[in-house]
Amino acid sequence: MEISLSSSDTRGKGDLVDAVNTDDRISTLSKDLLLKILSSLSTKEVVRTSVLSKRWGDVWKETSEIFMDMRYIKISRYLFIDFSPYAAGWMTKVINDHSGNFERFTIYHFAHQCVDGMVEAWIRSLIHVKHVKHLTLINCFGPFVPNSILTLDLPPKSFSHPNLKSLHLGRYNLKDPHGFDNCWNLKKLKLIAVFAEIEVFNVVLMSCPSLEVLVVDLHCHKQSGPLKIENRNLKFLCLSCCSQIDGIEVATPSLEILTVKSLSCEIEKFVIANPNLQFNRNYWVNGKLYPHTSYYISCPPDQDKTSIGHEVMMSEPSEYMKFYASMSVSIDLTNTKEVDMLKEVLAAWPDEMQELEILFKKSNAPRKEGETPIGRTKRKFWEETKPFPNGHFRVHTVWLFNFSGSKEEFALASRLITQGTVVMTMKIQPASISLSNKSEIEAAVTKLKELPKGHTELSIVMF
């Protein structure tokens, strides 16, 4: 229902209208504050603000982040016409009309919305004209062609630009690796449900030597040789491959976290050249694979910032921490920061874990005169009253490797037993037993068996 005012109704209202117009306080705000307001709106809402006033007309063109989800372009209920293809042209206009550079640009689209090299044109414009730093392009399952995979036909060095730091591609077919030529600039690469020949993947990864974070969910057209990941800077690696492949060779000396979601290759053909990442169990048992994470926790006492790998894992716990998965961690219990990092990961785990391997590192950090290893920790986790890591985390089986019976190790094991964290089995394996430490280790294990158990069916054994 519309309400209109006659001329007689509007007489005498001029002063009121002027008062309303002069009370436009939003338009008096600084441009920086206006941009901050726009950053909380959707792309559609941001562009629509241009009709509010002359002041707002061009403000949206300086926003640094754009998120465009073309899946929600609606079909007319009356004409039964799909207007979504027009969204691609509108998206192109948004990119071209923007007056500055982009910090982050995200596009979700359907394959039928992008024809005649539209995606390639976006890539070229966003990277080489608008100098975007973080780019995400996702080709989604569409309502008209649900199984369509869009093939990217990219010219050489399409992703090579010093400003581009992270790239996320989803559900595309890579015709060849040339678009990744000379990609020294990339620090983070996510290839999710990407289809290509195994040789293409290998060349792509070799062309990105500066990567620190790599997340790949690969679909190989045919089984033709192993996937090779060789990178001296890589800190975080998440692997998933639904296709049968001949093997995986990982040579990453700086790698701190390896997460394997699913893998279709034999354990003997999964080779890791990294002395820090260790897992002692075969998670390919009976041809089935539990999602597994191997984490070498490392944080020097004098380092303020946590590792890149830890930041990535904690930023998306639902993505990298799976229900009923397994995990192997290497940790120095005398280092408070490492203990806190382990606590953060376990506390964020969504539900019960299948197996948890804990390998105790022996600290080699220099000590001050008269200081014990325990003395370096400002706050001892076993002196806290709260459960470790929290009151909700549960794990079916725990392995303790390199167990020496130290105060820290005994304290952690006793916490896991008494508070009901371990549900079924705790298995303890000393690194080595000599005459000097045999009695100490056996005494510690005996005391652990005598503790009140959070789960009465829990068994504690030593190998």
Side-chain angles (χ1 to χ4, degrees), residues 85-367:
Y86 299 102
W90 180 73
M91 189 73 262
T92 301
K93 181 174 175 56
V94 169
I95 296 172
N96 294 337
D97 288 352
H98 193 274
S99 59
N101 294 338
F102 289 112
E103 178 76 18
R104 188 179 304 275
F105 207 104
T106 301
I107 303 177
Y108 284 78
H109 68 85
F110 293 130
H112 73 275
Q113 295 174 322
C114 304
V115 295
D116 300 327
M118 183 72 74
V119 175
E120 288 85 347
W122 290 343
I123 291 172
R124 181 172 59 254
S125 180
L126 288 169
I127 295 176
H128 297 280
V129 179
K130 299 300 181 180
H131 300 166
V132 65
K133 289 185 179 180
H134 309 283
L135 177 60
T136 297
L137 294 169
I138 307 296
N139 174 36
C140 306
F141 287 99
F144 301 103
V145 191
N147 295 319
S148 61
I149 299 295
L150 198 63
T151 297
L152 294 180
D153 187 7
L154 299 167
K157 299 184 179 181
S158 292
F159 300 113
S160 177
H161 191 279
N163 275 50
L164 184 65
K165 299 304 178 185
S166 71
L167 175 66
H168 179 182
L169 298 178
R171 294 194 75 247
Y172 294 102
N173 179 61
L174 290 182
K175 184 178 181 180
D176 54 56
H178 302 318
F180 288 85
D181 288 353
N182 199 30
C183 273
W184 288 82
N185 48 290
L186 281 178
K187 299 291 186 181
K188 180 178 181 179
L189 177 62
K190 295 180 73 172
L191 301 175
I192 307 300
V194 172
F195 293 74
E197 301 290 349
I198 195 69
E199 295 85 356
V200 172
F201 285 124
N202 287 338
V203 175
V204 166
L205 298 181
M206 284 290 291
S207 301
C208 306
S210 302
L211 286 178
E212 296 177 343
V213 176
L214 175 60
V215 181
V216 288
D217 174 19
L218 308 182
H219 296 255
C220 303
H221 293 314
K222 61 183 179 180
Q223 190 173 344
S224 58
L227 176 68
K228 297 182 179 181
I229 303 174
E230 301 176 1
N231 190 303
R232 300 187 62 84
N233 298 298
L234 203 61
K235 302 290 192 302
F236 181 94
L237 173 60
C238 180
L239 280 175
S240 182
C241 186
C242 298
S243 308
Q244 186 69 34
I245 57 177
D246 288 336
I248 297 180
E249 300 174 5
V250 180
T252 52
S254 300
L255 193 64
E256 298 172 353
I257 298 180
L258 168 66
T259 295
V260 180
K261 290 184 177 180
S262 62
L263 208 56
S264 299
C265 78
E266 300 174 2
I267 182 64
E268 293 79 12
K269 295 183 179 180
F270 185 70
V271 181
I272 306 176
N274 185 309
N276 292 329
L277 293 179
Q278 301 181 35
F279 47 94
N280 298 277
R281 303 280 295 145
N282 184 351
Y283 294 99
W284 282 260
V285 175
N286 297 326
K288 297 180 180 179
L289 171 68
Y290 291 118
H292 179 75
T293 296
S294 186
Y295 185 5
Y296 183 82
I297 302 178
S298 178
C299 186
D302 57 348
Q303 180 177 309
D304 294 330
K305 189 176 181 181
T306 56
S307 68
I308 295 172
H310 186 82
E311 290 178 355
V312 172
M313 192 161 187
M314 295 306 300
S315 67
E316 298 181 84
S318 61
E319 179 71 19
Y320 305 119
M321 304 179 190
K322 298 299 181 181
F323 169 73
Y324 220 56
S326 59
M327 185 177 188
S328 304
V329 297
S330 300
I331 184 172
D332 174 10
L333 291 180
T334 67
N335 186 320
T336 304
K337 294 181 180 179
E338 292 190 16
V339 173
D340 287 343
M341 291 165 70
L342 174 62
K343 185 176 181 179
E344 285 182 11
V345 171
L346 297 183
W349 212 269
D351 216 318
E352 183 175 303
M353 188 184 290
Q354 168 68 6
E355 283 195 8
L356 173 62
E357 293 183 347
I358 302 177
L359 189 147
F360 298 119
K361 297 186 293 183
K362 301 309 175 184
S363 175
N364 295 318
R367 310 175 196 169

Side-chain angles (χ1 to χ4, degrees), residues 413-433:
S414 62
R415 281 292 194 89
L416 300 179
I417 292 169
T418 58
Q419 67 191 25
T421 303
V422 189
V423 178
M424 290 301 296
T425 310
M426 176 177 284
K427 301 181 180 182
I428 302 173
Q429 183 171 330
S432 61
I433 297 181

Side-chain angles (χ1 to χ4, degrees), residues 6-50:
S6 65
S7 58
S8 60
D9 293 326
T10 58
R11 284 195 297 268
K13 302 294 184 179
D15 293 340
L16 177 59
V17 173
D18 289 341
V20 172
N21 290 338
T22 57
D23 197 30
D24 182 9
R25 297 183 179 180
I26 294 181
S27 291
T28 65
L29 299 176
S30 67
K31 182 176 291 186
D32 289 342
L33 192 52
L34 291 179
L35 290 173
K36 187 173 183 179
I37 293 172
L38 293 181
S39 67
S40 64
L41 304 178
S42 68
T43 300
K44 181 179 178 180
E45 292 170 327
V46 167
V47 176
R48 288 175 66 183
T49 61
S50 61

